[in-house]
Amino acid sequence: MWRLFSLIVFCWCFPWTCLSEGHVVVGSVVDAEGGPLPQADVEEKRLGIGTFCDDGGHFQLEIPPSDTIRMVELHFSFVGYHPYVKVVPLDRDTVSVHVSLKDKSDLIDQVDVVGVVKQETFVEKLNVDVAKSIPDVSGDAINSMISSFSGVSSTNELSSQYSVRGGNYDENCVYVNSIEVYRPLLIRSGEQEGLSFVNSDMVESVAFSSGGFSPEYGDKMSSVLDIKYKTPTTFEGSASISFLGASAYVGSSSKRFSQMHGFRYKTSSYLLNTLETEGEYNPRFLDYQTHMTLRVSPRSKLSFLGNLSRNRYEFVPKMRSTNICTMADMGNAKTVEFHFEGQEMDLFSTMSGALTFSFAPKSSLSLDFIGSSFRSMERVSYDIASAYWIGALGTKAWGSEMNDGVGTFHEYSRNTFDGTVSNLSHIGTLKLRKNTIKWGLSYQLENMGESVNEWEMRDSAGYSLPINPDKLILYKSLYADVSEISHRFSGFAQNAYTLRSSAGRIVLLGGVRFSYWSFNEQLCVSPRASMAWFPNKSSWAFRFATGIYHQAMLFKEVKKIMEEDGNRIVYLNRDVKSPRSSQIILASDYYFKKWGRPFKLTGELYYKYIDRIIPYQVDNMKITYRGENCADGFSFGGDVKLFGEFVPGTDSWISISLMNTKENVYGDGRGYLPRPTDQRFNISLFFQDYFPGYDKLKFNVKMAWADGYPFRPPGSSYCDDILRIPNYRRFDLGVSFQLKHGVDSIMARPFFAWMEVFSINLDVFNLLDIKNVSTYYWVPTADGRQYAVPNYLTGRLFNLRLAVDF
């Protein structure tokens, strides 16, 4: 196998190496503090050649073969920085150049703002270092930062999932090193969810789009998160430990080989004990990742990305007591008390591997060939019986005449899922003077199977619900034994063109994406286009995007439930088609300075028309689809975000979003009603500060205030009785004390000498101890009433975290 692979590599490399015997200039462009400057321009004007830096600030420029060229004059430039010219002698085949650009903060009348890069597309670059400082209980710093952006909402701190502009969790696409990442299918609640795929310690760059993204990104309708893992250039590492888990990371590099390894452990027992349901929580989440790179030649490299994770959730519930108040009871408060027997044991195991061969025959051309495979093995098992009573507030006796209802529940599940996704893909990029052409092709093999056996029995006052005098009928049951092997083909082509004129700089991007799925034999074509205009001598920038976006279905979207002899049976519907969204987005950016510091004010308006909708219901983190295209809908709204240095040297922002999303289910006669993800407003804030004159002690605040999602009582027809969960309000506080090597004298002592940075962090989650509601648990009685018992999220919690970088 290795000999065959070597032969393939040789066949690819040999023709190109024979065609060119010129010199190659490689290097990096950074700012004064050593931070990379992505998309910095590198030109050799006399020869008419040039290139751009990648997301890590690295570049590679090929000099054409010539007997007369002994040196080159490279021009380095980046928005907001002084240009720099460096003469480089070509005394070797491969020459390394490293350049540091100085910012233009000394120019008062300079239009370009220092520290804020002008955004050319609807994909925004994020600061990874800021993400690591955000207090978060889910263990995912990147997603925690994204949830505070405009148009993005997360109303369950136990989960790293988020909703974007009216879409659900399945409509968000996540890439790590150009490889798509999948979320578990059987997750029902945030308590079950372990660690997300992304390891923040290993991240080099993060890009996020809440809509209007280019054809290179996959078939999802709402958002894209594009993450690149770093390639270490020296020995480095970090470690942290807290009440909620621990992590460790180490990276190293030699002349041709670099590697990094990350380990994470999470336990949320301490956190889950703040929930109302008392019991024994024993969640254990483990994750290991590695990224290794071998430079085969100056123009080619081979990299491997691997992941192993094991998320285990065990729970033995004991009792729960909750106070409720309903309009039907004329505002009289009641108490609902549960006593449980049984347990839940869930296991989510995933493994993935991706091998990438990157070849750059010329400085302007890069070719990537990727082979990857992902497998998820999931098991959800619970067998829990409970007895409950409902009575007036303060009533404790089960036999009291004040009781409004007594009964029992019995919930049982033995569900398993096993899925494998294997992918072969090619991505190419050609950079010319004014054009950046990109293309890709992909083949994917999907093998998935699911077995479901779950039921629920309910009894109220001695009557089994629903009441039937002839036979015992279960309150709810579901059975499935389905599997499918399918093939998926996809590809894209796009071009970004930069035009400079008297009106300013204009960036045009257009292209098309296609996909074909053998399961339903559907071909989807998605044209997309965007434009950015930067007027001359102006602090304004304007952006526009439009296109068609399809939602690539995987497995659970095509499952349809049918009634057979009183039982609900699942089968796969081959007639279902991918939902389709037509989008228009208008945006403007205003770059300005206040108090001598950079700021950026962004406003966006969007409209989405969605047809071929597969209606769904959301219960905590579980999304249940109807399994057929029977609705159309829309989503429109506006977002405003103010970003900048409210405090010198720190990034902070505030986001405000307004939205309206509705759908019309054919045949129900109700017209357009709110979708399950309709959130009419969302306000997010992230603010950083430090004590004046003592920047070792810093604090940050993350605040969220969002409208509650719609919900409906069980048993009602679809979209009947639209109610709303109370507003989600949360306030997290983080305080850190940091010591740096070479700055603080104590770091020179033997105990600290090996450390670059040592920090002590205190996080206060849910500082105001607000009782937010995730979902409702409905308790029916024999007389036909239903009581909505709120499932509250976590309360106030203190977390101490120690971290070290070396």
Side-chain angles (χ1 to χ4, degrees):
M1 184 66 184
W2 173 251
R3 293 179 179 177
L4 177 61
F5 179 77
S6 302
L7 179 61
I8 295 174
V9 173
F10 176 80
C11 291
W12 269 103
C13 295
F14 181 78
W16 294 102
T17 54
C18 292
L19 289 174
S20 176
E21 296 180 354
H23 298 274
V24 177
V25 181
V26 298
S28 61
V29 182
V30 299
D31 57 21
E33 297 180 353
L37 296 179
Q39 301 304 310
D41 192 19
V42 183
E43 294 182 89
E44 217 303 348
K45 296 185 177 181
R46 295 177 304 171
L47 300 177
I49 59 175
T51 186
F52 295 95
C53 294
D54 61 18
D55 293 337
H58 305 289
F59 72 90
Q60 179 174 302
L61 180 64
E62 181 178 308
I63 310 302
S66 173
D67 296 333
T68 61
I69 300 177
R70 295 291 181 265
M71 62 182 61
V72 291
E73 186 178 273
L74 299 183
H75 294 251
F76 299 87
S77 60
F78 188 71
V79 175
Y81 289 77
H82 290 288
Y84 181 75
V85 179
K86 185 178 181 66
V87 177
V88 180
L90 302 178
D91 53 0
R92 296 183 301 275
D93 291 339
T94 302
V95 183
S96 297
V97 177
H98 301 281
V99 173
S100 176
L101 300 184
K102 296 181 179 180
D103 61 44
K104 293 182 177 180
S105 57
D106 56 323
L107 300 181
I108 298 177
D109 297 330
Q110 176 66 31
V111 174
D112 293 327
V113 177
V114 179
V116 180
V117 180
K118 289 190 175 181
Q119 189 174 336
E120 297 182 347
T121 67
F122 283 85
V123 179
E124 182 179 3
K125 305 291 184 180
L126 312 183
N127 190 329
V128 179
D129 293 331
V130 173
K132 295 179 180 179
S133 65
I134 296 180
D136 175 63
V137 300
S138 68
D140 190 333
I142 301 296
N143 285 351
S144 178
M145 177 173 65
I146 290 172
S147 66
S148 65
F149 284 6
S150 55
V152 184
S153 174
S154 176
T155 56
N156 189 332
E157 64 272 8
L158 293 171
S159 171
S160 61
Q161 304 301 320
Y162 48 85
S163 171
V164 179
R165 292 178 174 173
N168 65 39
Y169 312 129
D170 295 329
E171 296 177 12
N172 304 317
C173 197
V174 179
Y175 289 94
V176 175
N177 287 10
S178 302
I179 301 157
E180 187 172 359
V181 176
Y182 301 93
R183 62 187 293 261
L185 270 69
L186 298 185
I187 289 287
R188 298 180 299 113
S189 65
E191 292 92 322
Q192 294 174 301
E193 187 175 317
L195 293 159
S196 69
F197 185 93
V198 180
N199 187 332
S200 303
D201 294 330
M202 304 173 69
V203 172
E204 179 179 67
S205 65
V206 179
F208 178 75
S209 173
S210 56
F213 42 89
S214 58
E216 66 181 295
Y217 295 113
D219 296 292
K220 300 289 185 180
M221 295 195 301
S222 291
S223 74
V224 163
L225 177 61
D226 188 5
I227 290 176
K228 302 295 184 184
Y229 276 4
K230 56 189 175 182
T231 301
T233 57
T234 184
F235 179 79
E236 61 183 39
S238 65
S240 68
I241 186 170
S242 74
F243 295 152
L244 298 177
S247 66
Y249 155 78
V250 63
S252 65
S253 177
S254 61
K255 186 176 181 180
R256 296 180 55 195
F257 180 73
S258 67
Q259 60 179 327
M260 60 178 180
H261 307 272
F263 170 81
R264 292 179 295 168
Y265 169 74
K266 175 185 173 183
T267 174
S268 52
S269 301
Y270 175 56
L271 176 67
L272 298 180
N273 284 326
T274 65
L275 299 175
E276 280 203 337
T277 301
E278 301 176 8
E280 299 176 8
Y281 293 92
N282 186 23
R284 301 187 301 275
F285 310 123
L286 296 170
D287 173 87
Y288 166 75
Q289 293 188 35
T290 182
H291 182 220
M292 296 179 285
T293 302
L294 173 66
R295 184 164 292 279
V296 182
S297 71
R299 296 184 177 89
S300 61
K301 63 180 180 179
L302 190 66
S303 62
F304 174 76
L305 175 65
N307 168 256
L308 293 172
S309 70
R310 182 180 175 87
N311 299 330
R312 188 178 185 89
Y313 176 74
E314 298 177 356
F315 175 44
V316 181
K318 297 298 183 184
M319 70 90 61
R320 171 186 174 183
S321 180
T322 304
N323 298 328
I324 61 174
C325 184
T326 65
M327 294 295 294
D329 293 305
M330 304 301 291
N332 295 321
K334 303 216 177 265
T335 295
V336 183
E337 187 171 303
F338 298 86
H339 291 264
F340 302 95
E341 287 186 356
Q343 65 178 343
E344 177 175 357
M345 298 182 64
D346 306 329
L347 180 63
F348 303 90
S349 298
T350 61
M351 59 183 70
S352 63
L355 189 65
T356 302
F357 176 67
S358 301
F359 179 47
K362 301 174 62 177
S363 60
S364 59
L365 176 64
S366 63
L367 306 171
D368 291 340
F369 303 89
I370 307 171
S372 65
S373 183
F374 168 86
R375 186 179 183 186
S376 179
M377 295 167 288
E378 307 173 23
R379 185 186 71 211
V380 174
S381 302
Y382 55 83
D383 189 354
I384 299 175
S386 63
Y388 73 90
W389 65 267
I390 306 172
L393 186 65
T395 303
K396 294 296 183 182
W398 282 70
S400 170
E401 296 180 357
M402 300 296 294
N403 287 346
D404 290 85
V406 295
T408 59
F409 293 171
H410 191 172
E411 297 173 293
Y412 176 91
S413 173
R414 292 293 185 270
N415 299 343
T416 60
F417 172 82
D418 193 342
T420 301
V421 178
S422 301
N423 183 285
L424 293 174
S425 60
H426 161 63
I427 300 174
T429 304
L430 176 62
K431 294 181 179 180
L432 305 175
R433 286 294 299 162
K434 295 183 178 180
N435 296 271
T436 300
I437 303 171
K438 198 167 186 178
W439 66 90
L441 289 171
S442 175
Y443 164 73
Q444 188 163 288
L445 173 65
E446 302 163 1
N447 186 355
M448 300 186 179
E450 182 180 21
S451 175
V452 176
N453 180 13
E454 64 179 48
W455 51 265
E456 181 178 350
M457 187 276 291
R458 295 194 178 188
D459 173 276
S460 177
Y463 293 93
S464 176
L465 300 180
I467 298 176
N468 188 308
D470 299 322
K471 61 179 180 179
L472 175 66
I473 299 179
L474 293 173
Y475 183 79
K476 185 167 56 177
S477 64
L478 185 65
Y479 302 94
D481 188 8
V482 292
S483 62
E484 177 65 25
I485 299 177
S486 60
H487 309 270
R488 195 186 304 267
F489 302 88
S490 63
F492 73 91
Q494 67 181 49
N495 180 34
Y497 175 74
T498 302
L499 172 67
R500 297 183 183 271
S501 67
S502 59
R505 183 166 62 95
I506 299 175
V507 179
L508 301 173
L509 192 154
V512 64
R513 184 177 186 88
F514 80 90
S515 65
Y516 174 81
W517 193 24
S518 65
F519 174 80
N520 58 0
E521 299 180 347
Q522 182 187 15
L523 174 65
C524 298
V525 180
S526 306
R528 304 172 191 176
S530 67
M531 180 186 74
W533 174 37
F534 304 93
N536 289 328
K537 298 181 180 180
S538 174
S539 298
W540 286 92
F542 303 93
R543 291 175 286 125
F544 167 78
T546 186
I548 296 176
Y549 298 81
H550 291 85
Q551 177 67 21
M553 302 174 295
L554 193 61
F555 190 76
K556 64 181 181 181
E557 293 94 333
V558 302
K559 294 190 300 183
K560 188 173 182 179
I561 301 176
M562 300 293 290
E563 295 280 349
E564 295 183 11
D565 298 327
N567 296 318
R568 297 194 308 162
I569 309 297
V570 174
Y571 78 96
L572 303 181
N573 182 10
R574 296 185 180 275
D575 295 326
V576 69
K577 302 299 181 182
S578 295
R580 177 176 55 191
S581 171
S582 302
Q583 303 183 14
I584 298 177
I585 306 174
L586 294 171
S588 64
D589 303 311
Y590 177 60
Y591 302 85
F592 64 98
K593 279 189 176 181
K594 187 67 175 177
W595 310 300
R597 298 190 292 273
F599 287 86
K600 175 186 174 183
L601 178 64
T602 298
E604 295 189 8
L605 296 174
Y606 61 90
Y607 177 82
K608 306 178 186 179
Y609 172 73
I610 314 168
D611 63 344
R612 301 201 298 243
I613 289 178
I614 306 173
Y616 57 85
Q617 300 176 19
V618 180
D619 183 8
N620 202 318
M621 305 308 300
K622 181 181 180 181
I623 301 176
T624 304
Y625 292 88
R626 183 178 285 197
E628 58 182 347
N629 307 106
C630 58
D632 69 273
F634 61 84
S635 177
F636 69 88
D639 304 322
V640 177
K641 179 181 177 182
L642 177 61
F643 174 93
E645 294 187 16
F646 292 88
V647 176
T650 65
D651 293 338
S652 303
W653 58 84
I654 182 171
S655 303
I656 302 175
S657 301
L658 301 175
M659 183 192 67
N660 186 4
T661 180
K662 293 182 178 181
E663 65 185 13
N664 174 33
V665 178
Y666 306 144
D668 70 350
R670 300 293 301 276
Y672 287 92
L673 293 174
R675 303 190 73 193
T677 52
D678 180 44
Q679 196 171 53
R680 296 168 295 188
F681 71 89
N682 183 22
I683 302 174
S684 300
L685 168 72
F686 177 71
F687 180 78
Q688 296 186 92
D689 200 356
Y690 53 84
F691 283 84
Y694 195 74
D695 59 2
K696 297 181 182 62
L697 190 58
K698 302 178 181 180
F699 75 89
N700 54 70
V701 171
K702 182 185 176 186
M703 185 272 290
W705 180 24
D707 186 28
Y709 288 125
F711 71 98
R712 65 185 181 88
S716 60
S717 60
Y718 189 80
C719 286
D720 283 352
D721 306 319
I722 296 296
L723 306 171
R724 284 191 180 268
I725 292 174
N727 294 347
Y728 180 86
R729 297 164 297 162
R730 188 174 176 88
F731 193 94
D732 294 334
L733 173 67
V735 181
S736 66
F737 178 76
Q738 191 174 86
L739 298 173
K740 295 183 178 181
H741 186 80
V743 177
D744 302 292
S745 58
I746 191 175
M747 297 295 285
R749 297 182 180 181
F751 180 77
F752 297 100
W754 58 279
M755 304 180 187
E756 288 292 330
V757 180
F758 173 74
S759 63
I760 303 175
N761 305 272
L762 176 64
D763 299 325
V764 186
F765 301 120
N766 197 1
L767 178 66
L768 304 181
D769 200 23
I770 298 173
K771 300 180 70 173
N772 291 303
V773 177
S774 62
T775 56
Y776 286 93
Y777 190 78
W778 292 88
V779 180
T781 58
D783 58 5
R785 289 184 296 173
Q786 293 193 95
Y787 288 90
V789 181
N791 293 317
Y792 292 109
L793 291 167
T794 57
R796 183 190 295 118
L797 185 76
F798 295 86
N799 181 45
L800 182 65
R801 178 164 49 94
L802 304 179
V804 58
D805 294 339
F806 54 88

